[in-house]
């Protein structure tokens, strides 16, 4: 059986690869001594992480008073950063899960790194609410367990508790999904290794041998996990949006929040994947696997989600006027023209206007422009959360408690520290694990390799146009 | 058999359905217990609006689906694209039907929209309503007319017709360089953002403004999701029927399975939007907002819970298994149920609102009167549904005769035939 | 205690050759012990007579368990053990229980299925399974026959099967 692929499809693997070359290209970076730029990056990341840890330690030692939060503005950079990181943590599972279900083959080039990124981003995100609680050593109070306080249970009706469940479930499921995908690839690394390295990878590969029955179960498991992860990924940012939308604060309480937060999360997640993949493909020489076609596809998702987010901004703005509710109207007037007007315009410019350049194919396929755009989008999405949180709180119902908020060096330090954590983990990941899903790329070689695609696919394609589909072999 | 033929027997059945619908529609003009029925005939007009919006929306989302599939390089859908194309052309009928509503707004033939009532926005008038007056920049007959006729015309004349024309010319123009497909792609990409913005305005005008004091930012997305599930269900039913007549040989279990998965997924997605909208309003309990759900849950429990059972509970249980998504019997049953369920959903969105506005205009408060044809779909309403459904299929079958059902010139056609799910 | 197993195996260079070889083996009534491949080969399962994986049924059971656990537990806490009114809502506030119920459904189903998967496959941390050839996880597709107690004729029949179906290498191993 040969696969039938439309000759209009662009190849996803270039360089006329063989199966062995794929293994060689993807595994070899883990077998070499790290180069100078990796070492420099690693040192920088560790240094940033250390500063972040110092700031966290300082916060815990001195207290939350080291932050510039006040009675009016109780949520500032901490929750902004939390929502921002969680948003970034959406793309990995989205790429793996939704694109797997929709059978978008280009996901195979980027899903592994994106899932890793998801896990690291969720770790960064989870940090903020934990520190924000103040007495971090009592953090375990958030879990419902029989206790000596009555027993007093947690408030299952609170969106903040829903967050605890959503994020811990999301982290667990993402980790399982990611690792299950890694197991066969670790076996590939193991079978090329010697000595201690072989033992380590043998442990990591769980004894995988590639039996037909195991592959069948593995594929079934991947599909079901994808099916579960798809609503899960929607639920996580939905529940984050419930933190705001269940309240009665104008500007927070609006029903569009759940799908709009999810679209925004996908938007920023894809931007972060692009930022990282553009660097990774260059340094690890993976241009044949993460091609310009992959980048173009991701830019289209950015354009799409950017436009959805834009529709949501305008819907909110319009309905605020339409509601005829003066507090709602003021909240939006304040967003656009109030004390934090600059963050609203930063958000609009970076999230809605700038992605529109991706209507032009040339720019979608430009690596240089994509790289800068991806950073713009992440800045814009940070502003979006800041607008929602700080701007809204700064002007509440009581004019006597109106306030203004600027972060202290400690808050900025913690934020930088999460970048250090994220980059440290990512740099370790690219050293020890195959950055591209080897087995999955091999399985699309015959349909998406450049020696099989486009003009080379045509003869087979034209033949198949008049042939009946055969089913006897595809009873799965 | 690639050329659809519209048999005489089918024509007579569908014309029969249309006559039944017309008779029921006319009867609902007279058999009406709602306030001021003899002047404004709310049962007739709500039935007309309900079905017009429902089927126009299906035509609109079908066009949207074609454009989304083309933009996303979807290959599988090529074998069924003629069905969606035929659906999308129904926009012209939608344009005519909505124009009737527009004429009614100007002539005050109906009172579907309280904001269009006399004196509602005139200061000092007996019926003056300050909240509605504040919205009159959007809720006014002129904008309603311009948006309804303008947007639907743009959808039909600038997108549905050209895309259909290019798609048919692709059948003959060969497959050498797929230049036509590239051109369709430009139209498809342009339609997506235009549709996203304009459809929100249409939904607010057509449906949300029935209760002009109430508002929800989610409303437009929720309604679009409901349309999309209906379009998927209708597609499945059409495929099953056409296959039973021996057409669409290239559509295999694999395509049915994929459409079944989409039906399942989007039913869950609709439920997600339903829950998010309901839960946020229930949780915050702001009076202006809560009234929408409180009225429906407490006074229209049949509508409220029937909606959830038909559009979430049953399809979820039926379509959860893989094999039920592949068998014509089960997937067809689920599709028919969900199609009716979403028609019911539009009933639930439109009808209680009209009764509420009419009663409040009377100055009544508290429990609403229970009015036949508004509390749940009665026999007349079901007959009208059959009538509009027959009209829709008559139109669609007529369009299907105009082009081959096997558009082999589509660059993804062979890929679509050999599609495996 | 595992007995030592004698295995005769052939390596193929391409999955299409492998599929043809499996078809040939079926036609020749040869009893394939195992097929190994570097990635899932589509169309192989029915040829080998592998029944469909039942993991999804297990997943459904775990998920249902999660749903019940979460919903019943929250109901018990708020209606029996410690009823508290939050925000003027009734003790039994089903809409507010749904998010956590959903999360636990997914959590139970995922963990349950992953654990089941590794258990039934005999895989896990610290497990070492014998491998026939290091290149099977790279670019070779392998058909293996168990040859314990096989006569020379039977062995040579397998040898000729491999050469007939285009195996690039044939070896034997005791595992």
């Amino acid at each position: 059986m040969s696969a039938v692929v439309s000759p209009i499809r662009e190849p996803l693997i270039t360089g006329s690869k063989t199966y062995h070359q794929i293994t060689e290209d993807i595994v070899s970076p883990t077998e070499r001594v790290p180069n100078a730029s990796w070492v420099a990056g690693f040192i920088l990341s560790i240094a940033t992480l250390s500063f972040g840890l110092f700031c966290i330690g300082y916060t815990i030692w001195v207290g939350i008073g080291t932050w510039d939060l006040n009675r009016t503005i109780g949520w500032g950079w901490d929750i902004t950063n939390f929502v921002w990181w969680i948003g970034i943590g959406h793309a990995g599972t989205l790429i793996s899960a939704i694109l797997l279900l929709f059978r978008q083959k280009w996901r195979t080039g980027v899903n592994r790194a994106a899932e890793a990124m998801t896990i690291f981003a969720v770790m960064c995100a989870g940090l903020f609410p934990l520190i924000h609680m103040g007495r971090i050593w009592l953090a375990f109070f958030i879990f419902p367990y029989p206790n000596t306080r009555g027993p007093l249970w947690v408030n299952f009706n609170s969106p903040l508790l829903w967050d605890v469940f959503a994020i811990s479930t999301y982290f667990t499921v993402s980790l399982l999904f990611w690792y299950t995908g890694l197991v066969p690839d670790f076996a590939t690394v193991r079978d090329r290794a010697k000595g201690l390295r072989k033992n380590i990878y043998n442990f990591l590969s769980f004894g995988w041998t590639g039996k037909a029955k195991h592959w069948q179960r593995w594929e079934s498991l991947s599909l079901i996990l994808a099916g579960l992860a798809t609503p899960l990924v929607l639920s996580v940012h939905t529940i984050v949006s419930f933190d705001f939308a269940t309240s009665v604060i104008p500007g927070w309480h609006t029903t569009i929040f759940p799908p709009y937060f999810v679209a925004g999360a996908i938007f920023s997640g894809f931007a972060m994947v692009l930022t990282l993949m553009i660097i990774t493909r260059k340094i690890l020489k993976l241009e044949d696997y993460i091609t310009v076609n992959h980048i173009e596809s991701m830019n289209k998702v950015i354009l799409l989600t950017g436009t959805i987010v834009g529709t949501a901004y305008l819907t909110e703005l319009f309905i605020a006027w339409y509601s005829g509710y003066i507090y709602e109207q003021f909240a939006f007037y304040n967003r656009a023209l109030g004390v934090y007007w600059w963050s609203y315009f930063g958000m609009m410019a970076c999230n809605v206007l700038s992605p529109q350049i991706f209507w032009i194919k040339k720019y979608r396929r430009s690596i240089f422009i994509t790289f800068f755009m991806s950073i713009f989008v992440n800045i814009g999405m940070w502003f979006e959360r800041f607008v929602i949180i700080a701007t809204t709180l700064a002007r509440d119902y009581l004019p006597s408690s109106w306030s203004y908020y600027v972060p202290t060096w400690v808050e900025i330090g913690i934020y930088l520290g999460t970048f250090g954590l994220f980059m440290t983990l990512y740099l370790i990941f690219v050293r020890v694990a195959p950055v591209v899903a080897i087995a999955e790329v091999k399985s699309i070689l015959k349909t998406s390799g450049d020696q099989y695609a486009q003009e080379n696919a045509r003869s087979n394609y034209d033949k198949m146009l008049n042939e009946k589909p055969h089913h006897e072999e595809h009873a799965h | 058999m690639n050329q659809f033929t519209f048999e005489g027997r089918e024509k007579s059945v569908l014309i029969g359905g249309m006559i039944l619908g017309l008779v029921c529609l006319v009867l609902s003009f007279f058999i009406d217990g709602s306030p001021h029925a003899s002047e404004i005939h709310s049962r007739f007009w709500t039935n007309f609006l309900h079905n017009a919006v429902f089927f126009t929306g299906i035509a609109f989302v079908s066009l949207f689906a074609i454009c989304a599939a083309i933009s996303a390089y979807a290959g599988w859908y090529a074998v069924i694209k003629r069905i969606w194309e035929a659906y999308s052309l129904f926009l012209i009928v939608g344009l005519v039907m909505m124009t009737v509503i527009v004429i009614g707004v100007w002539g005050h033939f109906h009172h579907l929209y309280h904001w269009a009532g006399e004196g509602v926005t005139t200061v000092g008038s007996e019926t003056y309503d300050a909240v509605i007056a504040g919205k009159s920049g959007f809720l006014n007959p002129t904008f309603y007319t311009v948006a309804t006729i303008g947007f639907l015309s743009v959808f039909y004349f600038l997108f549905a017709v050209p895309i259909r024309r290019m798609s048919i010319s692709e059948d003959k123009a060969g497959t050498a360089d797929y230049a036509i497909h590239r051109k369709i792609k430009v139209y498809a990409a342009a339609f997506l953002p235009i549709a996203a913005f304009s459809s929100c305005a249409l939904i607010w005008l057509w449906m949300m403004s029935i209760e002009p004091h109430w508002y929800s930012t989610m409303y437009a997305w929720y309604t679009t999701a409901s349309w999309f599930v209906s379009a998927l269900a209708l597609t499945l039913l059409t495929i099953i029927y056409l296959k039973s007549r021996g057409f669409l040989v290239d559509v295999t279990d694999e395509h049915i399975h994929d459409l079944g998965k989409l039906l399942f997924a989007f039913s869950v997605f609709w439920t997600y939007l339903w829950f998010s909208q309901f839960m946020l309003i229930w949780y915050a309990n702001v009076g202006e907002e809560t009234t929408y759900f409180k009225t429906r849950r407490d006074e229209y429990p049949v509508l409220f819970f029937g909606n959830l059972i038909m559009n979430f509970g049953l399809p979820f249980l039926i379509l959860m298994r893989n094999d039920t998504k592949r068998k014509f019997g089960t997937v067809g049953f689920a599709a028919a149920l969900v199609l009716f369920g979403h028609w019911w959903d539009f009933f639930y969105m439109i009808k209680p609102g009209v009764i509420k506005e009419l009663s409040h205009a009377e100055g009544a408060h508290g429990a609403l009167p229970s009015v036949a044809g508004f509390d749940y779909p009665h026999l007349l309403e079901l007959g009208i549904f059959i009538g509009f459904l027959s009209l829709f299929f008559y139109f669609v079958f007529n369009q299907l005769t105009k082009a081959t059902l096997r558009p082999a010139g589509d660059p993804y056609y062979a890929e679509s035939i050999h599609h495996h799910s | 205690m595992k007995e030592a197993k004698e295995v005769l195996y052939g390596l193929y260079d391409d999955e299409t050759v492998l599929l043809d070889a499996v078809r040939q083996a079926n036609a020749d009534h040869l009893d394939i012990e195992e097929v190994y491949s570097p990635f899932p080969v589509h169309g192989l399962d029915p040829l080998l007579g592998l029944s469909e994986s039942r993991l999804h049924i297990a997943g459904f059971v775990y998920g249902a368990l999660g749903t019940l656990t979460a919903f019943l537990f929250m109901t018990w806490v708020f209606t029996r053990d410690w009823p508290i009114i939050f925000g003027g809502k009734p003790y039994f506030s089903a809409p507010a229980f749904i998010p956590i119920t959903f999360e636990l459904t997914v959590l139970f189903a995922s963990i349950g299925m992953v654990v089941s998967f590794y258990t039934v496959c005999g895989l896990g941390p610290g497990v070492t399974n014998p491998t026939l050839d290091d290149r099977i996880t790279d670019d070779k597709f392998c058909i293996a026959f168990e040859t314990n107690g096989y006569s020379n004729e039977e062995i040579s029949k397998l040898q000729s099967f491999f050469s007939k179906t285009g195996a690039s290498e044939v070896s034997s191993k005791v595992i």
Side-chain angles (χ1 to χ4, degrees):
Chain A
M1 181 208 90
S2 34
V4 186
V5 178
S6 170
I8 206 168
R9 291 197 189 276
E10 312 244 12
L12 294 172
I13 304 165
T14 55
S16 298
K17 300 291 177 193
T18 62
Y19 292 135
H20 178 66
Q21 272 173 302
I22 294 176
T23 313
E24 191 68 36
D25 289 346
I26 300 174
V27 177
S28 62
T30 70
E31 292 165 343
R32 285 195 296 262
V33 179
N35 59 17
S37 58
W38 186 90
V39 174
F42 193 69
I43 291 172
L44 187 69
S45 305
I46 289 281
T48 322
L49 172 61
S50 311
F51 181 62
L53 287 175
F54 168 75
C55 291
I56 292 173
Y58 187 76
T59 302
I60 293 168
W61 185 255
V62 179
I64 292 291
T66 54
W67 298 355
D68 220 3
L69 299 175
N70 53 48
R71 212 160 32 154
T72 306
I73 305 172
W75 283 356
W77 270 46
D78 49 356
I79 303 299
T80 303
N81 298 336
F82 158 70
V83 181
W84 187 76
W85 274 119
I86 277 283
I88 287 172
H90 272 54
T93 310
L94 183 98
I95 288 176
S96 317
I98 298 186
L99 299 184
L100 175 68
L101 296 180
F102 279 142
R103 273 181 250 100
Q104 292 282 354
K105 287 186 180 134
W106 56 269
R107 92 200 147 79
T108 54
V110 291
N111 64 347
R112 172 67 45 74
E115 285 169 44
M117 197 194 82
T118 289
I119 291 161
F120 306 149
V122 174
M123 290 163 83
C124 294
L127 219 90
F128 287 99
L130 283 179
I131 315 167
H132 182 80
M133 282 183 221
R135 285 174 282 178
I136 198 170
W137 53 93
L138 297 179
F140 61 92
F141 278 19
I142 59 178
F143 291 107
Y145 61 97
N147 55 61
T148 52
R149 300 186 295 274
L152 191 60
W153 298 105
V154 285
N155 181 1
F156 294 109
N157 289 356
S158 161
L160 299 180
L161 189 80
W162 303 346
D163 252 351
V164 173
F165 280 88
I167 288 163
S168 40
T169 302
Y170 185 55
F171 180 72
T172 314
V173 174
S174 301
L175 194 67
L176 294 173
F177 195 27
W178 179 64
Y179 201 84
T180 302
L182 264 171
V183 160
D185 288 357
F186 276 142
T188 304
V189 182
R190 171 199 69 200
D191 289 344
R192 290 163 55 94
K194 301 242 156 14
L196 175 66
R197 196 178 143 81
K198 192 175 188 90
N199 287 333
I200 292 171
Y201 280 99
N202 184 40
F203 182 83
L204 291 174
S205 70
F206 285 6
W208 180 267
T209 50
K211 289 183 181 174
K213 185 71 192 173
H214 291 182
W215 276 123
Q216 184 208 30
R217 291 194 185 117
W218 182 87
E219 279 204 301
S220 171
L221 178 71
S222 304
L223 261 176
I224 306 165
L225 283 182
L228 287 170
T230 304
L232 178 66
V233 78
L234 258 70
S235 82
V236 175
H237 228 57
T238 294
I239 289 176
V240 171
S241 83
F242 287 167
D243 292 347
F244 305 98
T246 49
S247 70
V248 289
I249 308 289
W252 282 10
H253 176 62
T254 175
T255 48
I256 208 170
F257 257 28
Y260 143 53
F261 264 51
V262 172
I266 296 163
F267 184 53
S268 67
F270 268 73
M272 187 60 108
V273 173
L274 277 171
T275 314
L276 285 181
M277 291 324 283
I278 286 173
I279 301 171
T280 310
R281 75 195 275 274
K282 184 84 196 152
I283 290 175
L284 299 184
K285 298 190 177 51
L286 294 173
E287 284 98 337
D288 285 331
Y289 303 95
I290 303 162
T291 64
V292 177
N293 292 324
H294 289 84
I295 290 172
E296 192 186 359
S297 293
M298 286 199 274
N299 280 334
K300 283 186 180 170
V301 177
I302 293 225
L303 178 59
L304 171 75
T305 46
T307 310
I308 295 177
V309 167
T311 320
Y313 292 161
L314 296 182
T315 300
E316 273 191 319
L317 207 56
F318 174 78
I319 298 285
W321 168 78
Y322 178 87
S323 70
Y325 182 46
I326 53 165
Y327 299 102
E328 194 78 29
Q329 290 171 341
F330 174 75
F332 280 85
Y333 169 82
N334 176 51
R335 268 188 195 176
L337 302 169
V339 280
Y340 287 113
W341 63 271
W342 44 269
S343 63
Y344 190 77
F345 281 88
M347 164 185 112
M348 280 289 186
C350 294
N351 288 352
V352 185
L353 298 180
S354 68
Q356 304 305 326
I357 68 160
F358 284 146
W359 284 105
I360 298 160
K361 191 176 176 118
K362 199 174 98 190
Y363 296 146
R364 280 202 303 267
R365 296 181 73 88
S366 157
I367 295 180
F368 183 76
I369 288 178
T370 303
F371 185 73
F372 282 96
M373 272 306 305
S374 70
I375 290 172
F376 269 157
V377 168
N378 270 315
I379 294 172
M381 284 309 290
W382 191 89
F383 273 130
E384 181 197 298
R385 279 65 181 251
F386 186 76
V387 165
I388 292 172
I389 295 169
T391 311
T392 309
L393 290 176
R395 293 286 178 272
D396 64 4
Y397 288 108
L398 264 184
S400 61
S401 39
W402 286 4
S403 178
Y404 194 76
Y405 159 83
V406 275
T408 61
W409 64 271
V410 184
E411 289 171 282
I412 298 171
I414 295 174
Y415 183 46
L416 288 177
T418 52
F419 278 102
L421 174 65
F422 183 79
M423 283 314 296
T424 307
L425 292 169
Y426 188 76
L427 286 169
I428 294 173
F429 158 73
V430 299
R431 289 292 314 148
V432 302
V435 181
V436 174
I438 306 174
E440 291 189 60
V441 166
K442 284 176 186 164
S443 67
I444 65 157
L445 179 67
K446 290 283 174 75
T447 53
S448 306
D450 56 356
Q451 70 271 45
Y452 301 99
Q454 292 193 307
E455 283 314 305
N456 303 324
R458 195 180 285 271
S459 60
N460 182 38
Y461 181 82
D462 290 343
K463 193 180 83 208
M464 295 308 265
L465 195 55
N466 293 311
E467 211 171 84
K468 279 259 160 289
H470 42 91
H471 278 292
E472 71 285 5
E473 291 181 8
H474 297 277
H476 59 89
Chain B
M1 288 217 296
N2 301 324
Q3 184 56 49
F4 181 72
T5 48
F6 195 178
E7 302 292 329
R9 197 176 51 85
E10 290 170 335
K11 280 187 186 162
S12 21
V13 169
L14 291 175
I15 290 173
M18 281 191 269
I19 292 171
L20 171 72
L22 193 65
V23 169
C24 291
L25 197 60
V26 171
L27 284 177
S28 78
F29 192 81
F30 299 107
I31 307 171
D32 187 353
S34 65
H36 305 293
S38 57
E39 296 143 46
I40 49 175
H41 303 284
S42 294
R43 188 172 185 187
F44 165 81
W45 283 104
T46 47
N47 283 334
F48 188 77
L49 178 75
H50 170 207
N51 288 284
V53 167
F54 182 65
F55 286 101
T56 308
I58 289 177
F60 162 74
V61 291
S62 305
L63 181 58
F64 195 83
I66 294 173
C67 294
I70 291 171
S71 303
Y73 301 124
W76 64 273
Y77 99 108
V79 288
I80 60 154
K81 76 170 183 176
R82 282 288 132 87
I83 297 177
W84 283 354
E85 281 170 15
Y87 285 4
S88 72
L89 293 173
F90 190 77
L91 275 168
I92 187 69
V93 184
L95 179 61
V96 173
M97 293 191 295
M98 291 312 296
T99 306
V100 174
I101 301 278
V102 167
I103 293 169
V105 169
W106 286 100
H108 296 289
F109 301 142
H110 56 65
H111 200 85
L112 293 172
Y113 304 112
H114 184 60
W115 51 262
E118 275 173 79
V120 173
T121 55
T122 321
V123 184
S125 144
E126 213 175 277
T127 50
Y128 178 70
D129 185 322
V131 176
I132 296 178
K135 306 180 186 200
S136 59
F138 179 70
L139 297 183
N140 60 68
T142 311
F143 189 72
Y144 188 92
T145 310
V146 171
T148 302
I149 297 176
F151 291 161
L152 285 179
S153 302
V154 168
F155 296 167
Y156 181 74
F157 292 108
L158 296 188
F159 293 99
V161 171
I163 287 175
R164 164 75 164 183
R165 200 181 53 233
M166 286 185 280
S167 168
I168 291 179
S169 66
E170 214 172 28
D171 294 347
K172 300 176 189 100
T175 58
D177 61 345
Y178 304 115
I180 300 172
H181 183 78
R182 282 173 222 281
K183 211 170 147 201
I184 299 178
K185 256 167 72 176
V186 176
Y187 276 80
F191 182 67
L192 296 177
I194 293 174
F197 285 100
S198 53
S199 66
C200 290
L202 288 181
I203 292 166
W204 295 329
L205 284 169
W206 291 350
M207 295 172 66
M208 197 167 86
S209 76
I210 288 174
E211 287 166 82
H213 284 233
W214 184 78
Y215 54 89
S216 166
T217 41
M218 169 87 89
Y219 195 83
W221 294 11
Y222 169 83
T223 309
T224 312
S226 197
W227 276 337
F228 188 62
V229 182
S230 319
L232 281 173
L234 210 49
T235 309
L236 273 162
L237 293 173
T238 310
I239 292 173
I240 291 171
Y241 178 71
L242 290 178
K243 278 194 80 77
S244 78
R245 274 201 50 199
F247 297 107
L248 295 176
V249 279
D250 291 334
V251 176
T252 63
D253 292 359
E254 306 286 332
H255 300 94
I256 300 290
H257 189 180
D258 259 22
L259 282 165
K261 277 193 228 170
L262 282 179
L263 187 67
F264 178 76
F266 278 91
S267 291
V268 173
F269 181 71
W270 172 88
T271 313
Y272 158 71
L273 294 182
W274 183 93
F275 174 74
S276 299
Q277 183 169 255
F278 172 78
M279 200 280 291
L280 288 176
I281 288 176
W282 169 85
Y283 201 108
N285 204 10
V286 177
E288 288 92 331
E289 291 181 349
T290 310
T291 164
Y292 180 86
F293 284 113
K294 186 164 166 50
T295 311
R296 281 166 177 73
R297 191 194 62 186
D298 294 351
E299 301 188 34
Y300 297 91
V302 180
L303 285 182
F304 185 88
F305 292 104
N307 193 13
L308 281 179
I309 293 167
M310 280 188 286
N311 293 329
F312 173 64
L314 292 174
F316 183 81
L317 293 174
I318 296 170
L319 294 174
M320 194 160 51
R321 292 178 54 89
N322 258 346
D323 52 351
T324 52
K325 294 192 203 86
R326 297 177 80 91
K327 284 183 202 141
F328 282 13
T330 42
V331 85
F333 174 73
L337 180 78
V338 164
L339 177 69
F340 181 68
H342 283 280
W343 179 82
W344 180 289
D345 186 24
F346 277 76
F347 187 101
Y348 149 94
M349 286 192 268
I350 290 173
K351 293 261 185 167
V354 173
I355 283 293
K356 195 161 85 183
E357 291 304 316
L358 285 173
S359 316
H360 285 185
E362 301 272 279
H365 286 282
L368 299 176
S370 174
V371 181
F374 291 85
D375 45 1
Y376 55 88
H378 287 234
L379 282 177
L380 286 183
E381 277 69 32
L382 296 178
I384 294 167
F385 176 51
I386 291 171
F388 275 87
L389 194 63
S390 306
L391 171 69
F392 186 83
F393 271 116
Y394 193 92
F395 182 89
V396 165
F397 284 171
N398 194 35
Q399 292 299 335
L400 288 180
T401 59
K402 294 181 183 170
T404 170
L405 286 178
R406 194 172 186 280
D410 189 289
Y412 296 110
Y413 197 76
E415 197 180 301
S416 184
I417 313 176
H418 298 272
H419 171 74
H420 300 296
S421 57
Chain C
M1 271 304 286
K2 267 193 197 162
E3 265 179 68
K5 206 159 40 170
E6 291 166 36
V7 173
L8 182 70
Y9 63 94
L11 297 179
Y12 296 83
D13 291 337
D14 195 274
E15 73 271 25
T16 45
V17 186
L18 173 86
L19 284 171
D20 288 337
V22 175
R23 280 193 200 99
Q24 186 62 48
N26 285 346
D28 294 353
H29 302 291
L30 299 174
D31 188 14
I32 294 176
E33 159 78 8
E34 193 58 74
V35 172
Y36 299 89
S37 60
F39 58 86
V41 177
H42 284 212
L44 185 62
D45 303 350
L47 292 179
L48 290 176
L50 297 180
S51 55
E52 206 192 328
S53 164
R54 282 166 301 163
L55 260 179
H56 58 273
I57 301 171
F60 176 76
V61 174
Y62 297 128
L65 202 64
T67 313
L68 289 176
T69 307
F71 202 83
L72 295 180
F73 179 68
M74 283 185 282
T75 307
W76 172 75
V77 165
F78 280 161
T79 60
R80 295 269 177 279
D81 191 50
W82 197 290
I84 298 178
I85 291 176
F86 293 102
K89 300 289 187 296
Y91 293 136
F92 177 70
S93 292
F97 296 166
I98 286 177
I100 291 181
T101 306
F102 171 78
E103 297 301 329
L104 285 198
T105 305
V106 172
L107 186 69
F108 276 46
S110 307
I111 292 181
M113 271 194 311
V114 168
V115 171
S116 303
F117 167 74
Y118 288 115
T119 312
V120 293
C121 287
L123 302 171
V127 173
T128 304
N129 285 322
T131 51
L132 293 176
D133 191 296
D134 280 349
R135 290 165 300 165
I136 288 171
T137 53
D138 178 5
D139 61 347
K140 297 292 181 208
F141 302 81
C142 170
I143 296 180
F145 293 97
E146 191 188 332
T147 51
N148 285 18
Y150 270 36
S151 64
N152 284 344
E153 288 137 65
E154 281 168 316
I155 300 263
S156 63
K157 192 177 155 198
L158 292 178
Q159 297 273 13
S160 71
F161 161 78
F162 281 129
S163 62
K164 183 168 69 180
T165 53
S168 55
E169 287 166 44
V170 181
S171 328
S172 61
K173 200 167 182 176
V174 177
I175 54 173

